[in-house]
Amino acid sequence: MSSEAEQIDLKEAIGLVVLQFQHVEFWLAEKLAELLGMPNADAHLVAAAMSFAQKADLTCELLLRDKSASKASTKVVRDALTAAEEFRNAVVHSHWVAREGNSKRTKSTLKGGKGLRSVVRDVDIRGMVDAAYALNHVATWEFLDDATL
């Protein structure tokens, strides 16, 4: 694969992750609006007013009170939502370099007292695409059981 083709594939994979996560986030906002007794048309208010983590935390707290609202256990739902957000954040907040057969992702963090830490990894573009499509399972968590989610 040429360097230009690999750059295009990498950009498409990153875009797919972002779009699939957006689907997860909106689905979560709709479910939270439903659990709060809000009309579905107002789900965008929930989406705009809260961070993803806040929506996930409140949704899971409400699911603990209404176990019939999801086939999957609250812990599995929370773990799946957390993993989805961490994956999206790793993709969005990384530096990407596409080179023919040698694409790399660099993720740097600067945490209090620990200094700058950079991790460089090889990129598996096909794996990123597969992971992006796996976000569909997370988006439809209320219909899935623990084993499927």
Side-chain angles (χ1 to χ4, degrees), residues 4 9 14 23 28 33 61 67 90-91 106 119 134 140 144:
E4 184 176 337
D9 287 349
I14 292 167
H23 182 70
L28 178 62
E61 183 61 33
K67 299 206 185 294
V91 169
T106 303
V119 177
T140 57
L144 303 175

Side-chain angles (χ1 to χ4, degrees), residues 24 60 63 70-84 134-149:
V24 172
C60 289
L63 287 175
S70 173
K71 291 181 180 179
S73 69
T74 303
K75 180 183 179 342
V76 172
V77 169
R78 184 183 307 269
D79 289 349
L81 292 170
T82 299
L135 289 173
N136 283 331
H137 285 289
V138 180
T140 57
W141 56 267
E142 69 181 302
F143 305 112
L144 303 175
D145 59 20
D146 286 359
T148 308
L149 185 57

Side-chain angles (χ1 to χ4, degrees), residues 111-130:
K111 295 196 178 178
K114 295 183 180 180
L116 179 65
R117 180 173 174 248
S118 293
V119 177
V120 179
R121 300 210 193 286
D122 291 333
V123 176
D124 174 6
I125 295 172
R126 183 70 235 160
M128 278 182 64
V129 170
D130 291 345

Side-chain angles (χ1 to χ4, degrees), residues 28 52-62 78 81-82:
L28 178 62
F52 184 83
Q54 290 170 328
K55 286 188 284 271
D57 287 345
L58 183 54
T59 298
C60 289
E61 183 61 33
L62 294 171
R78 184 183 307 269
L81 292 170
T82 299

Side-chain angles (χ1 to χ4, degrees), residues 30-97:
E30 283 188 330
K31 184 61 178 181
L32 180 55
E34 175 189 314
L35 290 168
L36 292 171
M38 298 171 70
N40 249 5
D42 289 339
H44 66 281
L45 295 172
V46 173
M50 302 173 76
S51 72
F52 184 83
Q54 290 170 328
K55 286 188 284 271
D57 287 345
L58 183 54
T59 298
C60 289
E61 183 61 33
L62 294 171
L63 287 175
L64 285 171
R65 297 174 186 187
D66 181 6
K67 299 206 185 294
S68 67
S70 173
K71 291 181 180 179
S73 69
T74 303
K75 180 183 179 342
V76 172
V77 169
R78 184 183 307 269
D79 289 349
L81 292 170
T82 299
E85 182 182 31
E86 289 172 357
F87 173 58
R88 178 254 177 214
N89 287 346
V91 169
V92 171
H93 299 291
S94 291
H95 176 74
W96 300 89
V97 177

